[in-house]
């Protein structure tokens, strides 16, 4: 049974993260980070790491805190609140926490010691390299290949629109990379894909120039080309041929973090807007008295609370799933919720969160008029940043609808088959 | 190694008090509570002393409400043990009663070297509990402390006074009240919070500390009314033909109001 009561520990953790952010992720600092652009400031990431918020869900014996996803979602909400440009949430909640946790589930002790634990400590960066030049959504259609040579794998391919490439280059780190390790089975192209951890400084990895993004400027987006990159077998993640399934799990965790951080960003936008619309008078009356504005605020607030409930339910489902699967991983042991049922909820959260935060930022700018369009407020930076989730980070918005539709209508109705 | 007791008030978070606009009454019952700000400075200083010299830090509070979450936060910040004297009779306690309760609790705790308190609480701001407690326990009180150095059983203490600072030396056992300038209280890490859940947190009632002195068990001060002052702007418009004349009129108005000297 789901219990909405926050535990004493959760209350204190949320309070601690808020207090830390009040001191370090001030509006001025966030503005400076957005203006200056990547690489992400090391003092902030080290502070977040010492606080324990990065990959908090990783078990304690692996260097994390063993938090449940409900608690991690509450933390991600706070991070999204204090940095509504979502650079911090994208880099360290969605990518490092969502994907880092999943890497840790399937990686060897070598990868854990060399990359996962240092990333938890804020020393290195680990992320996901999924998208390829041919596209991102069709994970089963990606073209990167890996062939086995003795105890090594030789990888060839290219990954684009990858978060944190400059940070990984600067601090050290690497990426989860999927590669085809067997023939394409036309009726099941998702098979024969294997996941690897590719260090950014591995011989044959060439990092491309970062893109000039529109938003979430504090964290870089780039890509890398792999030419005959030789990876030891112990850098393989999980079993050969199971990479697609693990990838879906990684997306689940990252998308949950996005939903939670967008709930936080939305709350921040409303909190920043409310005093202004109460104070600002037009034709002798505060803006807040006009139904055109008050009703929009009420709707955004309702949607935000709905999103938070969805996030909490989804996190609760994830907690049950991971409790049942346990460690070492026994995916088939999950009983209470089917992975596809969880994926449906995850997709609902991933769809609703970014669109809601985007709408809130847009409405706030309109309420404020010209002032809202300036860099005096964080609305425009939030709007630009959240848009990255809308256009595709961690899965395009229409992909989420395909997942939801598949669960509602059945596999035979997926549009790509 | 010093044994330090830190007295914490589970105070009303004054930044979140709402005022009834009609009656000007403070809606205290709805306001959340937290560890009083200066008391957090006291706790931080105690933890810093412990980190340097070893020893033990005990957080202590007297409260009508259950302050366990706030004390758990104190444990996360570095206290080794926390004790709350929780009793409904503390609801309307005045500073004398609170001081007596804390003194009884400290006698029950046993030996100590240093007692640390905030210079005052954020809600009632009387600044009396620390000095009263020292008086009851028969130990020196050093107030408004902005710097502490411990060597052996001697403390070198800097006091921030209105127009000067004073440096004194004092031997333990001693009670210090600290200012907010003394340090920046740490934010506990999430691991600190997890570990705090395993630390000892005791709840005692007034009966548990044998607190039954007739005189000290009832407050001597009765608060009759607390209300928010009504602040209304005067809305005086300063005008004139030129900036110079406006400035002159402004100065005249300020002199008339007594804001600046004539």
């Amino acid at each position: 049974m789901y219990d909405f009561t926050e535990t004493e520990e959760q209350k204190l953790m949320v309070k601690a993260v808020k207090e830390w952010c009040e001191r370090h992720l001030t509006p001025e600092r966030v503005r400076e980070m957005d203006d200056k652009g990547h690489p992400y400031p090391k003092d902030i990431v080290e502070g977040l790491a010492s606080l324990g918020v990065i990959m908090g869900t990783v078990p304690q014996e692996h260097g994390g805190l063993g938090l449940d996803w409900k608690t991690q979602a509450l933390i991600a909400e706070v991070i999204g609140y204090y940095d509504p440009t979502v650079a911090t949430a994208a880099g360290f909640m969605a990518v490092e926490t969502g994907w880092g946790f999943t890497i840790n589930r399937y990686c060897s002790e070598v990868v854990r010691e060399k990359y996962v634990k240092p990333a938890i400590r804020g020393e290195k960066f680990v992320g996901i390299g999924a998208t390829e030049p041919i596209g991102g959504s069709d994970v089963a259609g990606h073209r990167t290949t890996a062939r086995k040579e003795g105890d090594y794998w030789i990888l060839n391919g290219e990954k684009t629109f990858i978060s944190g490439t400059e940070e990984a280059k600067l601090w050290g780190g690497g990426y989860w990379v999927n590669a085809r390790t067997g023939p394409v089975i036309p009726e099941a192209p998702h098979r024969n894909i294997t996941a690897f951890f590719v260090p950014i400084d591995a011989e044959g990895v060439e990092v491309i120039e970062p893109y000039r993004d529109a938003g979430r400027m504090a964290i870089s987006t780039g890509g890398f080309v792999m030419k005959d990159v030789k990876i030891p077998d112990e850098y393989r993640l999980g079993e050969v041929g199971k990479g697609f399934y693990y990838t879906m799990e990684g997306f689940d965790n990252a998308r949950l973090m996005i939903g939670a951080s967008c709930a936080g960003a939305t709350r921040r936008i409303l909190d920043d807007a409310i005093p202004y619309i109460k104070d600002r008078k037009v034709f002798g009356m505060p803006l807040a008295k006009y139904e055109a504005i008050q009703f929009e605020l009420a709707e955004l607030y309702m949607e935000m609370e709905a999103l938070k409930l969805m996030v909490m339910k989804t996190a609760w489902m994830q907690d049950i799933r991971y409790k049942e699967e346990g460690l070492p991983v026994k995916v088939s042991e999950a009983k209470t919720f089917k992975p596809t049922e969880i994926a449906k909820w995850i997709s609902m959260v991933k769809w609703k969160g970014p669109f809601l935060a985007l709408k809130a930022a847009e409405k706030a700018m309109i309420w404020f008029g010209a002032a809202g369009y300036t860099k005096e407020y964080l609305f425009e930076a939030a709007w630009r940043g959240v848009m990255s989730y809308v256009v595709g980070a961690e899965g395009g918005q229409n992909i989420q609808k395909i997942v939801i539709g598949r669960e509602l209508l059945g596999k035979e109705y997926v549009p790509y088959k | 190694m010093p044994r330090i007791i830190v007295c914490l008030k589970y105070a009303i978070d004054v930044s979140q008090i709402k005022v009834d606009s009609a009656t000007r009454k403070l809606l205290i019952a709805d306001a959340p509570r937290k560890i009083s700000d200066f008391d957090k400075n006291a706790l931080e200083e105690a933890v810093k002393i412990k980190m340097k010299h070893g020893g033990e830090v005990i957080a202590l509070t007297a409260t009508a409400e259950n302050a366990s979450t706030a004390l758990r936060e104190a444990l996360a910040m570095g206290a080794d043990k926390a004790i709350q004297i929780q009793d409904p009779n503390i609801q309307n306690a005045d500073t004398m009663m609170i001081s007596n309760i804390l003194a009884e609790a400290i006698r029950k705790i046993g030996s100590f070297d240093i007692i640390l308190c905030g210079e005052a609480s954020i809600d009632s701001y009387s600044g009396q509990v620390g000095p009263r407690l020292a008086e009851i326990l028969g130990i020196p009180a050093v107030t408004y402390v902005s710097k502490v150095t411990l060597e052996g059983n001697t403390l070198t203490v800097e006091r921030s006074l209105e127009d000067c600072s004073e440096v004194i030396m004092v031997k333990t056992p001693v009670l210090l009240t600290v200012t907010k300038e003394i340090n920046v209280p740490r934010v506990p890490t999430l691991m600190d919070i997890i570990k705090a859940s395993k630390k000892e947190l005791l709840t005692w009632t007034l009966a548990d500390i044998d607190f039954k002195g007739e005189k000290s068990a009832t407050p001597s001060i009765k608060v009759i009314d607390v209300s928010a002052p009504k602040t209304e702007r005067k809305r005086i418009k300063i005008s004139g033909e030129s900036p110079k004349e406006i400035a002159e009129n402004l100065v005249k108005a300020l002199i008339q109001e007594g804001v600046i000297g004539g």
Side-chain angles (χ1 to χ4, degrees), chain B:
Chain B
M1 287 192 289
R3 194 175 200 214
I4 307 168
I5 296 172
V6 186
C7 299
L8 306 171
K9 182 172 183 182
Y10 190 45
I12 296 162
D13 185 350
V14 287
S15 66
Q16 296 198 49
I17 291 184
K18 289 185 179 146
V19 178
D20 184 316
S21 54
T23 64
R24 308 301 299 162
K25 296 282 178 208
L26 305 182
L27 303 172
I28 290 168
D30 300 335
R33 287 176 180 261
K34 64 173 190 175
I35 299 173
S36 183
D37 292 358
F38 302 112
D39 297 349
K40 265 198 171 180
N41 294 101
L43 176 60
E44 175 65 26
E45 204 56 29
V47 173
K48 280 169 77 176
I49 294 170
K50 186 188 85 169
M51 286 170 78
K52 197 167 175 190
H53 300 276
E56 185 187 20
V57 174
I58 301 169
L60 174 67
T61 191
T63 171
E65 298 84 5
N66 181 1
S68 63
T69 303
L71 286 180
R72 200 61 76 187
E73 185 183 4
L75 291 168
M77 285 177 69
D80 300 291
K81 181 178 173 179
I83 302 166
Q84 62 172 338
I85 317 301
Q86 193 199 344
D87 200 294
N89 292 316
I90 297 174
Q91 185 68 49
N92 298 312
D94 60 9
T95 52
M96 184 195 253
M97 187 174 161
I98 290 289
S99 309
N100 277 307
I101 293 167
L102 293 174
E104 285 303 329
I106 289 168
R107 286 188 186 116
K108 182 168 173 165
I109 290 167
S111 65
F112 64 88
D113 300 287
I114 304 166
I115 297 175
L116 280 163
C117 304
E119 64 165 272
S121 60
I122 47 162
D123 49 3
S124 51
Y125 210 85
S126 75
Q128 292 188 33
V129 169
R132 279 179 184 274
L133 180 57
E135 182 66 22
I136 296 163
L137 294 171
I139 58 171
V142 184
T143 52
Y144 305 108
V145 172
S146 56
K147 195 176 173 189
V148 182
T149 316
L150 174 68
E151 268 181 61
N153 64 345
T154 304
L155 291 150
T156 305
V157 176
E158 196 170 307
R159 300 181 67 214
S160 289
L161 304 177
E162 271 187 11
D163 49 6
C164 66
S165 59
E166 181 183 66
V167 179
I168 61 162
M169 291 175 88
V170 62
K171 284 194 185 306
T172 59
V174 63
L175 183 146
L176 312 177
T177 74
V178 306
T179 65
K180 69 174 165 46
E181 288 75 26
I182 195 166
N183 56 42
V184 178
R186 73 196 54 206
V187 175
T189 68
L190 305 190
M191 184 51 102
D192 291 334
I193 293 166
I194 292 169
K195 284 181 179 166
S197 66
K198 294 176 184 74
K199 290 184 182 176
E200 192 176 19
L201 195 164
L202 300 171
T203 299
W204 293 341
T205 62
L206 289 179
D208 290 333
I209 56 168
D210 207 20
F211 186 78
K212 55 193 173 198
E214 276 179 27
K215 224 176 167 184
S216 55
T218 47
S220 324
I221 296 171
K222 190 179 173 189
V223 178
I224 297 163
D225 186 37
V226 180
S227 55
K230 207 168 185 177
T231 49
E232 279 191 354
R233 294 182 189 280
K234 294 194 173 175
R235 295 175 184 175
I236 299 166
K237 190 175 177 186
I238 308 291
S239 54
E241 293 296 316
S242 64
K244 187 171 179 289
E245 193 184 328
I246 295 168
E248 283 168 0
N249 289 341
L250 174 63
V251 171
K252 274 184 208 164
L254 291 172
I255 292 169
Q256 204 176 340
E257 290 290 326
V259 178
I260 56 175

Side-chain angles (χ1 to χ4, degrees), chain A residues 217-286:
Chain A
M217 308 304 285
I219 188 95
S220 63
T221 308
F224 51 91
V225 179
M226 293 166 286
K227 282 182 190 158
D228 292 330
V229 177
K230 198 174 171 186
I231 297 292
D233 190 43
E234 61 195 356
Y235 279 55
R236 171 169 45 82
L237 300 173
E239 293 174 37
V240 173
K242 296 273 182 72
F244 181 86
Y245 302 104
Y246 305 149
T247 306
M248 294 304 113
E249 183 187 336
F251 275 127
D252 284 351
N253 295 324
R255 288 169 183 171
L256 175 61
M257 292 293 92
I258 288 174
S261 53
C262 284
T266 305
R267 179 77 218 199
R268 169 61 177 278
I269 290 160
L270 299 187
D271 280 358
D272 282 359
I274 287 172
Y276 184 89
I277 61 171
K278 281 166 87 173
D279 187 57
R280 180 81 173 172
K281 285 184 177 159
V282 178
F283 303 116
M285 211 161 68

Side-chain angles (χ1 to χ4, degrees), chain A residues 69 101 105 249 253 318-324 326:
Chain A
W69 284 99
F101 168 87
R105 294 246 300 163
E249 183 187 336
N253 295 324
Q318 281 290 71
D319 286 333
I320 290 174
R321 163 195 190 162
Y322 282 124
K323 207 173 168 187
E324 288 174 347

Side-chain angles (χ1 to χ4, degrees), chain A residues 8-17 19-20 23 50-53 60 64-67 75, chain B residues 34 40 68-70 72-73 76 184-191 193-198 201:
Chain A
E8 189 172 70
E9 204 169 87
Q10 284 171 333
K11 281 182 198 164
L12 289 176
M13 286 183 177
V14 166
K15 184 171 187 282
V17 180
E19 282 179 7
W20 189 91
R23 291 183 194 181
S50 342
L51 198 58
V53 305
Q60 287 190 14
L65 298 177
L67 301 181
I75 291 166
Chain B
K34 64 173 190 175
K40 265 198 171 180
S68 63
T69 303
R72 200 61 76 187
E73 185 183 4
V184 178
R186 73 196 54 206
V187 175
T189 68
L190 305 190
M191 184 51 102
I193 293 166
I194 292 169
K195 284 181 179 166
S197 66
K198 294 176 184 74
L201 195 164

Side-chain angles (χ1 to χ4, degrees), chain A residues 20-61:
Chain A
W20 189 91
C21 290
E22 288 277 352
R23 291 183 194 181
H24 302 281
L25 276 175
T26 59
E28 297 74 26
R29 188 73 199 273
V30 171
R31 168 55 67 200
E32 183 198 314
M33 283 158 55
D34 195 70
D35 286 348
K36 203 173 158 199
H38 60 81
Y40 193 87
K42 202 71 204 294
D43 64 309
I44 301 281
V45 71
E46 283 171 355
L48 289 168
S50 342
L51 198 58
V53 305
I54 299 174
M55 284 187 249
T57 45
V58 166
Q60 287 190 14
E61 59 269 33

